[in-house]
Structures are given as C-alpha cells and as structure tokens.
C-alpha cells in the first residue's frame, strides 16, 4: 500500500506556508485586522483660521481601534498652559480656552468598508460636543507601520490628513 502519510503531507503544507514571501502572507490580513491596535500621532495638516498649525509643534496623541469595534482618539498640543490653581475645575477663562482649543478627544464605535478602504466612526462622545451622536467616514491607507487618515471635516473647519505610526 502506497498512501502518503498524513504527517508528511502536514509537514509539507506548513513548510509551504512558511516559505511564502512575507508580503503574500501579510496580504491575507483584512483591512480591519491591519487597522486594529494602538497608533501614535505623528502629524496633521489641520490649520486654524489664521493658518497656523492646529496642534502647534510637537503635539501628542493616540488612536486606538479594538477588535470588537470600538475606537478612542486624543490629540493634545504640547504647549498647553498649566492651571495656576492646580485644579481643572478652577481654570481661568484663558486657561480653559487654551485647553479647549488645544485638545480633542473622541470615542465610540467604528466599522470598516474593506472594498472602499475607509472606516466610519460613530461618535458616542467628544470633547467637541457637536461631534457626539454623529458619524463620519474617513478614507485611510496603511503602509508598513504608518497610517494616513483623511479627515473630511475637522472640528476647526476644513479637511486634513493625519499621520500616525503603530505603537511598539
């Protein structure tokens, strides 16, 4: 009897997959699977009405996509003033204005359209209250560990491109 062994066939299949070029194996991941994870803010083309960068120099931020469809995003200027009172509930009008204009936080759920390569955010809450209970679709690209997102309507007006890198 000359039957191929199950073990021999299994070993050949495993070796065949292991020897595939990494880009072929990587292509098997869905767009959503590539998006899931934590991304750190790199840059944004968002401008204030006076033409200056909305997030100043050296802003900080995170964008998180979970496997089960939730997202959280925060961007903060690095030059926000410290509150003199050391109590955020007792900020001066100037301190409060600087914080509101120099930061944005949003959270909610998201869905991915694999064919159009975009995602739709359903904002459950935001530090910009006008975003809450709204939806926004954003086109994106992922290349290696870089995520580029087209924001069609920023919280300060206009559109922008935001760049993130995958957190390590």
């Amino acid at each position: 009897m000359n039957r191929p062994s199950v073990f021999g066939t299994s070993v050949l299949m495993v070796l065949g997959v292991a020897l595939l070029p990494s880009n072929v194996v990587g292509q098997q991941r869905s767009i959503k699977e590539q998006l899931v994870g934590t991304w750190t803010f790199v840059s944004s083309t968002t401008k204030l009405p006076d033409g200056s960068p909305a997030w100043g120099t050296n802003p900080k931020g995170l964008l998180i996509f979970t496997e089960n469809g939730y997202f959280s995003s925060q961007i903060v200027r690095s030059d926000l003033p410290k509150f003199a009172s050391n109590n955020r509930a007792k900020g001066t009008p100037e301190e409060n204005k600087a914080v509101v204009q120099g930061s944005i936080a949003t959270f909610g759920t998201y869905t991915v359209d694999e064919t159009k390569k975009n995602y739709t955010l359903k904002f459950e809450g935001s530090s910009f209250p006008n975003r809450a209970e709204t939806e926004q679709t954003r086109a994106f690209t992922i290349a290696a560990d870089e995520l580029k997102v087209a924001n069609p309507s920023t919280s300060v007006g206009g559109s922008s491109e935001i760049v993130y890198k995958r957190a390590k």
Side-chain angles (χ1 to χ4, degrees), residues 29 32-33 35-37 64-71 110:
R29 291 179 57 206
K32 180 179 178 182
E33 289 170 329
L35 191 62
V36 166
I64 301 167
F65 292 101
T66 67
E67 288 182 17
N68 61 343
Y70 286 90
F71 81 93
Y110 75 100

Side-chain angles (χ1 to χ4, degrees), residues 111-141:
T111 56
V112 175
D113 186 322
E114 297 279 335
T115 57
K116 293 181 180 177
K117 296 184 180 180
N118 65 31
Y119 59 78
T120 299
L121 303 174
K122 182 175 182 183
F123 298 98
E124 292 180 17
S126 175
S127 60
F128 176 51
N130 299 40
R131 281 275 190 256
E133 304 302 321
T134 67
E135 291 186 10
Q136 188 180 77
T137 299
R138 298 179 178 183
F140 70 94
T141 59

Side-chain angles (χ1 to χ4, degrees), residues 82-101:
K82 302 278 188 197
F83 282 34
S85 66
N86 201 30
N87 180 332
R88 74 179 182 90
K90 295 182 180 178
T92 66
E94 294 79 18
E95 291 167 338
N96 289 330
K97 180 179 179 182
V99 170
V100 166
Q101 291 181 355

Side-chain angles (χ1 to χ4, degrees), residues 50-68:
D50 67 4
S52 64
W55 306 115
T57 57
N58 198 31
K60 306 289 184 206
L62 283 178
L63 175 61
I64 301 167
F65 292 101
T66 67
E67 288 182 17
N68 61 343

